[in-house]
Amino acid sequence: MSISYEEYKQLVSKADLDGDCPVKRLLTVFSGKWHIRIIFELTKVDTIRFGELKKQISGITNTMLASTLKELEQNGIVLRTQFNEIPPHVEYSLTDSGKELYTIFYEMALWGSKNL
Amino acid sequence: MSISYEEYKQLVSKADLDGDCPVKRLLTVFSGKWHIRIIFELTKVDTIRFGELKKQISGITNTMLASTLKELEQNGIVLRTQFNEIPPHVEYSLTDSGKELYTIFYEMALWGSKNL
């Protein structure tokens, strides 16, 4: 982190005036209940199967996990790879831009360690 | 940001093994649809009234805004100040720990500018 709160405020106020705020765009993409939680789990692994991912996120249903993964795939954040072995299976991982989201979770970890 | 993705992965894997992950704690506190969006609006201002805040967040109802603000107040992130003027009014702002969340939004802004 190399920016002060005052500098940050100037930056977001300017983006707001331009009517084109990148934070709002990101929060719109991740507005569902599970998006951020799923991405966080994916930052921890190279690749993971659906069932294993579901086990890591208590409370999520198959339907919610499947539909959120599909949305994240459409947004270029999640990569879905199908292995045509016997039996066939599917693995999920983050795309290169998806991986870059780790900086957000790192800041969350710093804040959470200090304040929660 | 002064940590690589590989270093980050080691860190969160360790926190996970310890069963005490600060990111999960933060995501639990902010698990509602509006928490992060409201905090983001509050990072932009010194203080704001209820009605003005509502105008900034399209789609939110009075009930949702009021209950989420109350939760954030209970978690020590939002400060509610009542002014006993005539007419009386209430203003909302971030506490000191709430303000420190700006680093998360700054990383979101960087990622959003590049990828969305």
Side-chain angles (χ1 to χ4, degrees), chain A residues 1-6 8-9 11-13 16 21-27 29-33 36-37 40-46 56 75 77 94 96-116, chain B residues 1-6 8-9 11-13 16 21-27 29-33 36-37 40-46 56 75 77 94 96-116:
Chain A
M1 176 52 50
S2 52
I3 185 173
S4 73
Y5 183 45
E6 287 310 316
Y8 160 84
K9 265 166 101 166
L11 243 164
V12 287
S13 299
D16 224 30
C21 174
V23 178
K24 273 190 204 163
R25 271 182 280 152
L26 182 146
L27 290 178
V29 171
F30 300 161
S31 65
K33 183 172 168 54
I36 297 182
R37 187 72 178 79
F40 175 55
E41 288 305 322
L42 290 172
T43 63
K44 296 189 211 168
V45 294
D46 291 324
Q56 302 300 321
N75 283 311
I77 290 158
L94 291 172
D96 284 342
S97 68
K99 279 176 192 158
E100 288 171 14
L101 287 162
Y102 85 90
T103 60
I104 294 169
F105 296 110
Y106 180 58
E107 292 298 334
M108 286 187 181
L110 294 179
W111 191 90
S113 303
K114 195 178 162 193
N115 295 292
L116 291 176
Chain B
M1 177 51 51
S2 53
I3 184 173
S4 72
Y5 184 45
E6 288 310 315
Y8 160 84
K9 265 165 100 165
L11 243 165
V12 286
S13 299
D16 224 29
C21 173
V23 179
K24 273 191 204 164
R25 270 182 280 152
L26 181 147
L27 290 178
V29 171
F30 299 161
S31 65
K33 183 172 169 54
I36 297 182
R37 186 73 178 79
F40 175 55
E41 288 306 321
L42 291 171
T43 64
K44 296 188 209 169
V45 294
D46 291 324
Q56 301 301 321
N75 284 310
I77 290 158
L94 291 173
D96 283 343
S97 68
K99 279 178 192 158
E100 288 172 15
L101 286 162
Y102 85 90
T103 60
I104 295 169
F105 296 110
Y106 180 58
E107 292 297 335
M108 287 188 182
L110 294 181
W111 192 90
S113 302
K114 196 180 160 192
N115 296 291
L116 291 176

Side-chain angles (χ1 to χ4, degrees), chain B residues 61-84:
Chain B
T61 62
N62 282 335
T63 314
M64 285 311 301
L65 181 54
S67 69
T68 310
L69 280 170
K70 194 160 191 180
E71 257 186 58
L72 291 172
E73 200 189 334
Q74 282 160 354
N75 284 310
I77 290 158
V78 162
L79 202 70
R80 181 185 187 279
T81 313
Q82 182 150 351
F83 291 85
N84 293 318

